[in-house]
Amino acid sequence: DADVTQTPRNRITKTGKRIMLECSQTKGHDRMYWYRQDPGLGLRLIYYSFDVKDINKGEISDGYSVSRQAQAKFSLSLESAIPNQTALYFCATSEGQGAITEAFFGQGTRLTVV
Amino acid sequence: QKEVEQNSGPLSVPEGAIASLNCTYSDRGSQSFFWYRQYSGKSPELIMFIYSNGDKEDGRFTAQLNKASQYVSLLIRDSQPSDSATYLCAVNAAGNKLTFGGGTRVLVKP
């Protein structure tokens, strides 16, 4: 089993619908991240959390919200999906100690908003 | 100015040649630097990290860091067709969050 698991792997939804992407990890890491990837734009940070009580906005948080339900779970919600939120979404985790924070990624969720 | 910048490419190199990728960053307080490889539609996977000025070698890969000039580079020696991918530079920037560049697409031609 993957250390960082994202569900669903693929999703097609309609404009205006609420959708939740889920991420769970078995690595025991404190830090979790949600990134969005669009062609040619690399990974852009949406939200990140350094522990259960800590939630921080990334560079493109508008239109998204998150919930850190437990150390191992970090969910991303689109309250009212719009077509330009069509993208590949990655969850990642890293350890909470020190400056060398290698990130471990989930398999990705391909979201299409029609 | 973007926090982490990379040339988007594609960088086309013949098989067996050296591929040279560059990355610049804006936050002088950045402490650690990562190179990830990503195949199309797949998750990024770590190639190597570096946190001290100078060179770090791992197999066919060498990372170079120059904090004074705020750049980090990756050399791929003896490039193989399997090295064709997008290479992402990531920086442990302000607030200890990981910030990625846009990636450089590398094409290795047999």
Side-chain angles (χ1 to χ4, degrees), chain B residues 75-110:
Chain B
L75 301 178
I76 307 174
R77 291 183 301 280
D78 188 23
S79 295
Q80 301 297 310
S82 59
D83 294 326
S84 296
T86 295
Y87 290 80
L88 299 164
C89 172
V91 175
N92 181 8
N96 267 328
K97 66 183 188 293
L98 279 174
T99 301
F100 285 80
T104 298
R105 193 158 70 97
V106 173
L107 296 174
V108 180
K109 297 187 176 181

Side-chain angles (χ1 to χ4, degrees), chain A:
Chain A
D1 289 340
D3 293 324
V4 183
T5 302
Q6 292 183 231
T7 55
R9 294 291 309 279
N10 291 281
R11 181 72 181 267
I12 300 174
T13 192
K14 294 184 178 180
T15 297
K17 292 290 188 181
R18 183 179 188 275
I19 182 169
M20 179 182 289
L21 309 183
E22 298 186 344
C23 177
S24 62
Q25 52 118 346
T26 58
K27 298 192 75 66
H29 289 167
D30 288 324
R31 300 180 178 185
M32 298 188 75
Y33 309 80
W34 275 105
Y35 290 93
R36 165 180 173 159
Q37 187 171 39
D38 299 277
L41 292 180
L43 294 169
R44 293 185 291 167
L45 185 62
I46 307 172
Y47 272 96
Y48 60 104
S49 168
F50 284 174
D51 64 40
V52 175
K53 298 179 182 178
D54 177 75
I55 301 289
N56 303 281
K57 292 183 177 181
E59 61 181 297
I60 55 165
S61 60
D62 287 348
Y64 301 94
S65 62
V66 291
S67 173
R68 185 80 183 267
Q69 301 96 320
Q71 186 206 34
K73 295 184 182 296
F74 192 36
S75 301
L76 176 71
S77 293
L78 287 67
E79 297 300 326
S80 180
I82 56 177
N84 76 0
Q85 291 177 312
T86 293
L88 183 58
Y89 290 85
F90 286 104
C91 173
T93 73
S94 68
E95 290 183 340
Q97 303 291 333
I100 302 176
T101 51
E102 176 189 352
F104 296 84
F105 287 84
Q107 313 97 310
T109 295
R110 187 168 296 280
L111 177 66
T112 303
V113 183
V114 298

Side-chain angles (χ1 to χ4, degrees), chain B residues 63-85:
Chain B
Q64 300 173 317
L65 175 61
N66 184 322
K67 289 186 177 181
S69 300
Q70 294 177 244
Y71 82 79
V72 56
S73 62
L74 179 71
L75 301 178
I76 307 174
R77 291 183 301 280
D78 188 23
S79 295
Q80 301 297 310
S82 59
D83 294 326
S84 296

